[in-house]
Amino acid sequence: MDSRYDVAIVGGGAAGIAAARTLAGSSRSAILLEAGPRLGGRAQSVPHQGVALDLGCGWLHSAERNAWTTVAEASGVAIDRGMPAWGQQFRNLGFSPHDQRAARTAFEHWLKRMEHAPPSSDRASDSLLPDCAWNGHIAAMTGFISGVTPDRISVADYLAYENAATDCNWRLPGGYGTLIVMSMPADVAHHVSTPVESVLLEANGVRLTTSAGDITARAVILTVSTAVLAGNTITLPDALEPWRAAAAQLPLGRNEKLFLAIDGPAPFEAETQVLGKPGEASSASCYIRPLGWPVIECFLGGEGARRAEAEGEDAAFADAIDDLVALFGTDVRRSLRPIIASAWSANPRIGGAYSCALPGHAPARETLALPFNDRIFFAGEATNPIDFSTAHGAHDSGVRAAREAAAALRA
């Protein structure tokens, strides 16, 4: 590994790879350093019996304006443009049509109250009706969307995403993580299993100390998660304390996935969905036979993911199977087998799912996106003011940071 570069990119997720793609083919020498054993960050596709299971991001949200859609099309990667089954309880199992309408209405009214009469606290839970029977359902939904319960959500932040997102959500049969990793440009050097231990300011640039030796660069792009920025995994200069403080106001929520195999005959129809416990904050969303595959994807958010982490993987799988047995009958138990589970919160180099601004701190995203002294630049989904929590938001931030770095070097 050479020791001197024009630009060093720290983090090999969607933002880091997008930054590398932006710098590729230029006269600037660049290197990407990834602490973990693989590229992709919170995008990870795991092969299973000929299909790709996405443990992290799995949907091309706002797909018609999603940069990864363009990348996939340019690369000849297949895109499934079918409509998701979200919000449709299969055969109304455990969730009557009346209750589904009531839950949907409660969520919509909560959203309208935030839009038209936002609380002075900027706390989303302050827009809940205290006696509403569906507050647990709303908390489950925010867990899926933001990774946290409403008491930890900034209304301004939530609405910024809500107003920018579209209802177009597509999938990549070959895996979202697969697409992102394969997009790493060949002419930009990269190293995995190379954690950056410290960032030091020098007279003519920045020095990075790594397990493989020191690297000096004229500019550095930090794409690591807010949990890493605000924590002690990387020693940062004191001058970056405002950025660390901003990262602390944008903590990562909790979201995890469990995949179950369907072995043999079972009453599970392709492209259907059920909520395990529709009125509870810890409910899992079970997507059945996605793309016709013989699997069930159980998505846990907020309280559900916290509980799964606390109880352990075996207990989480057991809870998911119990939910499905309660809805479909005892005979399905023999057809369900655990495959794999994510553990994003337990990964010290990531520390959670995606960022959510704490009440009163939505402006922290803009602060975190500011460059320092034209030498250190910041990218990652948390720095995107409207498309945070998404892989395309991370992509766009990586492009922005790379362009800022290139402009600074020209100057």
Side-chain angles (χ1 to χ4, degrees):
M1 185 166 64
D2 294 336
S3 62
R4 295 180 181 275
Y5 293 86
D6 289 320
V7 182
I9 303 165
V10 181
I17 290 175
R21 287 170 57 86
T22 305
L23 295 170
S26 71
S27 60
R28 306 296 180 187
S29 59
I31 187 172
L32 182 148
L33 303 173
E34 166 56 41
R38 60 172 183 82
L39 294 178
R42 285 164 278 180
Q44 181 182 8
S45 299
V46 177
H48 171 74
Q49 297 183 355
V51 303
L53 306 180
D54 275 314
L55 287 183
C57 56
W59 291 84
L60 290 162
H61 294 301
S62 299
E64 75 276 35
R65 63 175 185 83
N66 186 317
W68 291 114
T69 301
T70 304
V71 174
E73 291 172 338
S75 304
V77 172
I79 298 174
D80 180 87
R81 291 172 167 81
M83 292 288 291
W86 303 331
Q88 305 168 46
Q89 187 83 353
F90 177 65
R91 292 183 179 173
N92 303 318
L93 296 175
F95 201 11
S96 70
H98 174 272
D99 284 350
Q100 290 181 58
R101 287 192 297 271
R104 185 163 50 249
T105 298
F107 186 90
E108 292 171 351
H109 286 182
W110 170 70
L111 185 59
K112 287 180 180 178
R113 287 192 294 274
M114 291 197 296
E115 289 175 331
H116 301 301
S120 58
S121 64
D122 190 43
R123 192 179 305 276
S125 59
D126 290 346
S127 290
L128 294 171
L129 297 179
D131 58 349
C132 179
W134 295 104
N135 284 346
H137 176 82
I138 294 172
M141 295 300 105
T142 64
F144 302 144
I145 297 167
S146 302
V148 296
T149 46
D151 59 301
R152 292 178 59 81
I153 294 177
S154 157
V155 171
D157 196 57
Y158 189 93
L159 293 179
Y161 179 91
E162 178 73 17
N163 293 332
T166 75
D167 292 329
C168 187
N169 298 283
W170 298 337
R171 283 171 295 183
L172 297 160
Y176 209 155
T178 301
L179 173 70
I180 291 173
V181 171
M182 66 176 279
S183 300
M184 178 68 197
D187 60 346
V188 174
H190 73 273
H191 295 268
V192 298
S193 299
T194 309
V196 171
E197 298 163 355
S198 66
V199 177
L200 305 171
L201 299 175
E202 295 188 335
N204 296 315
V206 182
R207 178 178 295 273
L208 305 177
T209 63
T210 82
S211 58
D214 290 2
I215 287 175
T216 58
R218 296 170 62 195
V220 168
I221 301 174
L222 292 178
T223 76
V224 296
S225 74
T226 56
V228 172
L229 282 176
N232 300 314
T233 305
I234 302 176
T235 301
L236 298 172
D238 291 342
L240 295 186
E241 189 55 36
W243 284 261
R244 283 170 45 82
Q249 306 298 347
L250 302 166
L252 299 187
R254 285 184 167 90
N255 290 93
E256 304 293 354
K257 288 182 180 180
L258 311 170
F259 283 94
L260 296 165
I262 302 172
D263 294 330
F268 299 124
E269 293 188 13
E271 290 295 320
T272 58
Q273 182 257 349
V274 293
L275 293 177
K277 301 180 182 71
E280 298 184 17
S282 60
S283 178
S285 172
C286 299
Y287 207 103
I288 298 169
R289 293 187 184 272
L291 301 171
W293 301 337
V295 300
I296 297 177
E297 176 187 296
C298 300
F299 186 44
L300 299 167
E303 179 60 21
R306 185 205 64 76
R307 182 178 297 182
E309 181 183 3
E311 295 178 352
E313 182 177 308
D314 290 343
F317 272 120
D319 286 346
I321 292 174
D322 286 345
D323 283 350
L324 292 165
V325 167
L327 296 177
F328 289 90
T330 56
D331 288 347
V332 304
R333 187 179 296 276
R334 66 172 68 99
S335 302
L336 298 172
R337 173 173 52 85
I339 302 173
I340 193 170
S342 66
W344 300 112
S345 294
N347 186 328
R349 294 289 176 175
I350 295 176
Y354 27 73
S355 64
C356 183
L358 294 173
H361 294 288
R365 296 196 187 280
E366 295 181 4
T367 300
L368 189 59
L370 294 173
F372 169 75
N373 200 26
D374 277 348
R375 281 195 282 176
I376 300 179
F377 303 84
F378 295 83
E381 53 87 14
T383 69
N384 195 304
I386 59 172
D387 289 324
F388 47 86
S389 79
T390 68
H392 67 272
H395 172 283
D396 295 351
S397 74
V399 172
R400 184 244 326 137
R403 289 174 176 170
E404 290 172 345
L409 292 180
R410 286 194 299 270

